[in-house]
Amino acid sequence: MAAACFLSGPSPLARPPPRPRHSLRRLAPAAAAGPPAGPLALPASSRRPLRDLVPGPVAEAARRALAAAAGPLVVALASAALVLGDAGAASAFVVATPRKLQADELATVRLFKDNTPSVVYITNLAVRQDAFTLDVLEVPQGSGSGFVWDKLGHIVTNFHVIRGASDLRVTLADQSVYEAQVVGFDQDKDVAVLSIEAPKDKLRPLPVGVSADLLVGQKVYAIGNPFGLDHTLTTGVISGLRREISSAATGRPIQDVIQTDAAINPGNSGGPLLDSSGNLIGVNTAIYSPSGASSGVGFSIPVDTVGGIVDQLIQFGKVTRPILGIKFAPDQSVEQLGLSGVLVLDAPPNGPAGKAGLQSTKRDAYGRLILGDIITSVNGTKVANGSDLYRILDQCKVGETVTVEVLRGDKKEKIAVVLEPKLDET
């Protein structure tokens, strides 16, 4: 800048003729338009040989100083142009980087956008009578999630979401609300099907996938309405397969459950678990948490199990599941006796086991406990506890004859039992 100041002032050796003055505002467009035409980037009309301005040794010294300072001077002029120049000049130096998402982020955003219209919000209403006015009111006693199963208006959710409801309401993604009717439910597997009368253009069923070929580590996505919030997406991976949990309603074990670390909180129950292609692979049903909030251990009923149950509920309104017709002792009681198997506490005479001759636990005339039959295997498959018995029965059909091996006293006997359907639930 010293050279620039020297050239802009009058020389003590000669007074050059006056030349045009150029402000930074006028130089800014020229500097922004392209590379400078000369060392000072002055307009062509004002460029004159240095020897015409100052003679002799002074001109030579100035020329060398100017050449050394040409680079910093151009930068200084450009910076000044950004501050003092117009917006057009500044835009030539400022480059706005567009915001971009990675491929996996775009896939997640697209999955949520495509499948959110299929997820619904379910409100469970119960009738309560005011203690003072005796007015009968409908009070929300719970909520959960669900999803559209088909274009006929069938909604799939958990049984514990609708349990004890006098009225049910389903809110679609566009916030339209519909009264829902219960088509059927399966307490043992915690699955329920509702029906709403909504226009078909508002019903977008989820594509149903397969859960038999799932792998630990693959990505999964859970969509629901936790804590009553609007649609929420959580992501994670499959942490384990073939887990077993108990039904909240009956205590009967649910086998082959999917374990995931995708956050599942109160209100997520009944919502879908999706794979990376957006296919339904499970129904979120429970979490393991001492505090009641997500601890990274969630469970989903596999879609292969849910599909068969939903088809039966839609077609028949109930699930036909075979039973032995017995009541058995807790597993801990049998273990305390040093035995392995299922101890029959009661086998009603009108039930399948009672008809076949299985003996119940009873007391004699002196009050002493006489143990009933202890089931040790069914169809050759070992039975160590109640879960084993349920697992075997889930693979059987109504009307099928099974061979039950029991320990009666000190002897083992084999008894043929014809399985009967479970009584209708109300």
Side-chain angles (χ1 to χ4, degrees), residues 327-344:
K327 293 181 181 180
F328 55 87
D331 297 334
Q332 296 83 352
S333 300
V334 181
E335 292 176 359
Q336 291 174 357
L337 296 174
L339 301 174
S340 176
V342 172
L343 173 61
V344 178

Side-chain angles (χ1 to χ4, degrees), residues 43-58:
S45 59
S46 64
R47 286 192 231 114
R48 298 178 60 187
L50 192 60
R51 61 177 177 274
D52 293 341
L53 299 178
V54 287
V58 178

Side-chain angles (χ1 to χ4, degrees), residues 358-375:
L358 266 72
Q359 296 183 1
S360 306
T361 300
K362 54 188 177 182
R363 294 184 181 274
D364 61 11
Y366 298 97
R368 292 175 298 189
L369 188 66
I370 301 176
L371 297 180
D373 290 337
I374 299 176
I375 300 175

Side-chain angles (χ1 to χ4, degrees), residues 21-313:
R21 295 181 179 178
H22 301 275
S23 66
L24 285 175
R25 184 173 298 277
R26 295 178 60 188
L27 286 176
L40 287 177
L42 298 177
S45 59
S46 64
R47 286 192 231 114
R48 298 178 60 187
L50 192 60
R51 61 177 177 274
D52 293 341
L53 299 178
V54 287
V58 178
E60 181 63 23
R63 185 185 65 79
R64 293 178 180 177
L66 181 60
L73 183 58
V74 172
V75 174
L77 289 174
S79 302
L82 290 177
V83 178
L84 302 177
D86 55 10
S91 64
F93 292 90
V94 179
V95 179
T97 304
R99 184 177 181 180
K100 295 182 179 179
L101 299 178
Q102 300 298 322
D104 60 336
E105 293 177 307
L106 289 173
T108 302
V109 171
R110 188 178 301 109
L111 181 144
F112 179 70
K113 182 178 179 182
D114 292 344
N115 294 284
T116 296
S118 303
V119 182
V120 303
Y121 181 66
I122 300 174
T123 306
N124 182 331
L125 302 173
V127 174
R128 295 288 185 270
Q129 187 175 32
D130 189 273
F132 299 99
T133 64
L134 301 181
D135 292 337
V136 178
L137 306 173
E138 281 190 333
V139 180
Q141 67 172 356
S143 62
S145 304
F147 55 91
V148 180
W149 181 261
D150 55 28
K151 284 283 188 178
L152 299 177
H154 291 120
I155 307 296
V156 176
T157 185
N158 285 143
F159 169 72
H160 74 261
V161 172
I162 69 167
R163 186 178 186 179
S166 61
D167 195 8
L168 293 166
R169 293 175 185 170
V170 172
T171 304
L172 299 181
D174 62 355
Q175 301 305 312
S176 57
V177 182
Y178 298 90
E179 297 288 337
Q181 304 296 325
V182 178
V183 175
F185 53 83
D186 182 5
Q187 297 186 42
D188 293 336
K189 302 300 181 182
D190 199 16
V191 177
V193 177
L194 310 178
S195 177
I196 60 174
E197 295 182 1
K200 290 187 177 182
D201 58 344
K202 289 188 176 184
L203 299 174
R204 295 183 56 182
L206 281 175
V208 179
V210 178
S211 58
D213 58 355
L214 296 177
L215 299 173
V216 174
Q218 75 176 78
K219 289 185 177 181
V220 290
Y221 305 82
I223 302 178
N225 297 270
F227 303 107
L229 302 174
D230 197 7
H231 291 93
T232 302
L233 172 71
T234 54
T235 64
V237 298
I238 294 178
S239 306
L241 296 170
R242 291 177 291 279
R243 298 291 192 254
E244 182 177 296
I245 62 174
S246 298
S247 170
T250 64
R252 185 163 178 161
I254 307 174
Q255 293 88 19
D256 298 328
V257 172
I258 304 168
Q259 179 185 336
T260 175
D261 66 347
I264 299 175
N265 287 293
N268 272 112
S269 294
L273 187 71
L274 309 175
D275 61 12
S276 56
S277 299
N279 297 321
L280 176 70
I281 59 173
V283 179
N284 302 320
T285 186
I287 59 173
Y288 177 79
S289 172
S291 64
S294 176
S295 61
V297 182
F299 299 102
S300 299
I301 306 173
V303 69
D304 291 351
T305 300
V306 173
I309 295 173
V310 171
D311 290 342
Q312 289 192 56
L313 291 177

